[in-house]
Every structure is written in C-alpha cells, then in structure tokens.
Amino acid sequence: MSPRPDLGPKPRLGYTASSIDRAAERRADAAALAALENDARSRSYVIGGELVVLRKATPVHDPLFTLAEARALGRSAELVFLGFLDGAARFALALDPSTAEGFKTREEFIVTDLRSIAIRGLVDADHLPPVAEGKALLHWHARHRFCSNCGAPTNLVEGGWRRDCPSCKGQHFPRTDPVVIMLPVAGERCVLGRSHRFQAGMWSCLAGFIEPGESIEDAVRRETREEVGIVCGRVAYFATQPWPFPTSLMIGCHAEARSEEIIIDRGELDDARWFDREEVAAMLLRRHPDGLTTPPSVAIAYHIIRAWVEDEVEP
Ligand SMILES: [Zn+2]
C-alpha cells in the first residue's frame, strides 16, 4: 500500500453542523410567532427560487435583513420560521424569483445561487446551514400549495412546518429526498464517474435516489450496478449532507467492488473508470498532470473520496 498522502487540514462539509435551535415547540404558537415577526432583533434570509439576496459587505457579504427590509424588497410568498440563532429569531422569506433576478444589477446587492455562495465563501460559513434549511423548505411550499389528496388550496401553519387542507383536513409535512452517494473501492483502486453536466475534468462519486421500499445498502448496490455495471458487496456508511438542490439528503457510503469490468450507462454518465489512490490524491490536491479534479470541499463527494485516499474507511 502507498503511504498516506498529506492532504492538509480537513475542510468543513458545507450546509452541515447547524448552530440554529429549530425550537420546534414554538411552531404551534401562532401568537408567539407573530410576536417574533415584529421583534426588532429578528432577521430573515431572502430567497428567490434558486437565488439568495445578499447585502454587499466586506470581508464577507451579509445575508440577513430585518423583516421590514425583507418585505419591502418586493412581491413575496411564504415566510417560514427557521429557529433561533445568536438569541434572535431567524426566518426565510420567499421573494418572487424575477424580483431577485432583477436585483443582480443593483449596486448594493450580490444575488447568486447557493452553490456559488458556498464554493466562493461569499458569506460566513455559519449561514450556510440555515440558508439551506430555508431554501429547501420554501421550495417545498412553492410546490405544495394544493392538497395532494383532494386538490383544494392548502394553508401554511406551524411557522411553515406543515400545510393543512381546509377541505379534507389532510396535513402535509415538508419532505426530504434521500439520495445515496457512493465510492466503489477495491484495494488501491476506486471507481469515479462523470455526469454529463460536470465541468470539464471533474470526476466524482456515483449517486442516485433511494426508491420506495429500498434500504440504503440495496440502493448503493443497485445504483452502482445500473450506472457502471459493477457488483458491490459490503456497504459502509460514511456521513450525510443536506443538499438543498432542491430538497435532498445525501447519504455518503463506501462500497466494496466485487467485479472489475465497467459498463457505463450513457444515459446517466458521460464516463466512468478505475482510478488508483495516487492519482485521486493528486486530484484532491489540484495537482493532477491533466488537470483532473474532484468536486470542491463543500460537497460530501470530496469527503467520501478523501476518507478513502487517507485510508480511513474499511468497506
Ligand atoms: Zn385535501
């Protein structure tokens, strides 16, 4: 086995380790939530579809607005209660996406997508988990304004953590979609793939949605077989990451590859192949001779790949 490469200090995984107290016990108290909306210490993130509105500042931009400021920005939809941070209530407001788009030309704002905000470090990293929480929750609301049981318009209740149907009395709760993201490994080698939408030179883990009635382990084995034709044995859980694009939970795993031949599903992947540990270490360090890279460290794929390179897993 090759010696463990020195990859430097471990970066923080994006959107995780939230400092927010979600204070779920407060959600049912409409009067208390209304009081928090009017509390001068309360702040809101402003999210227009995929876009987040930031106020220009140095060294990092400011994503927080008073609720009056947020509402004055333009036509908005849902306001949701995220919890408490630094002793004050945090909300997220759904701004009309076209209004957010229009703010791109305004001198006082930076308006961009959450991936760019995370990768470029545009805000303090502690803001990423609550913005992810708000973005995923608001996305759910935008697509669940009608009852999936009877079709009647539903009402936001509990600070945005439920929608109730006045017609059939159905209660609807925000969902998270579980996705397996895995690295098939065999000794000193692993399989990486390239999606059609990846930037040139980037290779990553394989991934796919868990289907109803399926365990994490079975989903890892099925997706790996479907995408690259590799048969997997043992599956080892690594870590998870909320992935608000739009509402996923990435479940990171390493899988023991028990076959060799790669058969690529060209509908899913642009390419896939075996890599040895040394080559992957060069990719993590951005020192690959052909410029090949892994995903950035805000993404769990980086951490799944790095843990294998550093010999910290035993699938
Ligand atoms: Zn209904």
Side-chain angles (χ1 to χ4, degrees):
M1 185 183 289
S2 51
R4 269 173 55 150
D6 180 9
L7 300 175
K10 278 201 174 73
R12 177 170 169 180
L13 175 58
Y15 319 116
T16 63
S18 183
S19 305
I20 209 159
D21 169 8
R22 293 190 179 211
E25 72 283 358
R26 302 283 195 100
R27 294 172 186 167
D29 190 341
L33 288 182
L36 286 173
E37 285 184 35
N38 293 312
D39 189 315
R41 293 167 300 176
S42 298
R43 294 290 181 274
S44 182
Y45 298 104
V46 175
I47 299 168
E50 290 303 306
L51 299 173
V52 184
V53 181
L54 312 176
R55 226 193 301 252
K56 262 187 202 169
T58 50
V60 287
H61 304 300
D62 180 9
L64 294 176
F65 293 78
T66 67
L67 272 78
E69 288 170 336
R71 286 190 165 116
L73 290 173
R75 195 158 64 87
S76 61
E78 289 84 5
L79 178 76
V80 294
F81 172 63
L82 301 179
F84 291 95
L85 200 56
D86 301 331
R90 289 279 168 93
F91 292 86
L93 181 73
L95 186 67
D96 179 68
S98 59
T99 304
E101 184 69 36
F103 286 167
K104 283 183 173 177
T105 56
R106 292 262 293 263
E107 192 56 38
E108 68 268 41
F109 298 134
I110 296 282
V111 180
T112 188
D113 64 280
L114 182 54
R115 276 192 188 86
S116 302
I117 290 170
I119 292 170
R120 294 164 59 196
L122 298 183
V123 299
D124 187 293
D126 283 342
H127 286 300
L128 296 179
V131 174
E133 177 188 347
K135 180 179 181 297
L137 186 53
L138 291 175
H139 178 274
W140 179 80
H141 282 285
R143 279 151 189 80
H144 292 81
R145 297 202 174 106
F146 295 88
C147 180
S148 55
N149 184 43
C150 77
T154 53
N155 301 315
L156 179 154
V157 296
E158 303 243 333
W161 293 93
R162 203 175 80 207
R163 291 190 80 95
D164 285 356
C165 176
S167 177
C168 75
K169 309 300 176 197
Q171 296 182 336
H172 304 280
F173 295 88
R175 316 304 298 193
T176 294
D177 303 316
V179 173
V180 284
I181 176 165
M182 56 277 179
L183 184 69
V185 302
E188 287 296 292
R189 299 195 304 159
C190 71
V191 176
L192 296 176
R194 276 185 50 72
S195 154
H196 297 287
R197 61 178 192 282
F198 282 5
Q199 64 189 57
M202 194 174 89
W203 294 73
S204 187
C205 295
L206 309 175
F209 286 101
I210 298 182
E211 295 185 344
E214 194 170 45
S215 69
I216 292 172
E217 293 84 350
D218 285 344
V220 166
R221 295 186 191 106
R222 175 183 55 76
E223 283 285 344
T224 304
R225 198 179 61 247
E226 286 176 2
E227 292 192 357
V228 296
I230 295 281
V231 176
C232 287
R234 284 193 308 275
V235 172
Y237 166 82
F238 173 66
T240 60
Q241 178 182 35
W243 192 247
F245 308 103
T247 54
S248 293
L249 175 70
M250 309 302 282
I251 304 170
C253 295
H254 297 89
E256 173 206 14
R258 286 188 175 168
S259 66
E260 173 92 19
E261 187 191 1
I262 291 179
I263 303 160
I264 299 165
D265 175 355
R266 297 284 174 186
E268 290 278 334
L269 292 178
D270 177 50
D271 204 357
R273 69 169 173 88
W274 288 95
F275 288 75
D276 67 31
R277 199 184 299 248
E278 224 167 303
E279 182 173 19
V280 178
M283 291 161 73
L284 288 164
L285 288 163
R286 304 289 190 265
R287 288 182 197 156
H288 191 282
D290 299 329
L292 305 189
T293 64
T294 60
S297 61
V298 295
I300 193 170
Y302 170 95
H303 299 262
I304 296 169
I305 295 167
R306 175 169 170 161
W308 171 73
V309 167
E310 293 185 319
D311 201 21
E312 290 175 353
V313 295
E314 190 61 52

